[in-house]
Amino acid sequence: MFRNLYKIAAAATVVIFATCHALAAPTRFTITVSGAGPDVILIPGLASPGATWDGTVAHVAAHHRVHVVQVAGFA
């Protein structure tokens, strides 16, 4: 069940990022990539910086490629 939920969430995230990439200039957001393996995308809340995920990235990046999104003007 969680595998299907993960696949749906991953597909939705890809669509969102593709749309954002087509509409936004590169200076509007940054994506930091760490680790290697299956992709994990972490998006902080609008009042939080990407650094919110630092502890999680340190743990997860051992076995996954982690993408942390930071939207300019937030946090």
Side-chain angles (χ1 to χ4, degrees), residues 18-67:
T19 303
C20 288
H21 182 68
L23 298 176
T27 58
R28 295 194 183 179
F29 63 91
T30 58
I31 300 174
T32 306
V33 181
S34 305
D39 292 314
V40 174
I41 300 170
L42 301 175
I43 305 170
L46 294 179
S48 303
T52 300
W53 294 111
D54 286 351
T56 303
V57 170
H59 179 73
V60 175
H63 302 288
H64 294 80
R65 181 170 46 189
V66 183
H67 307 261

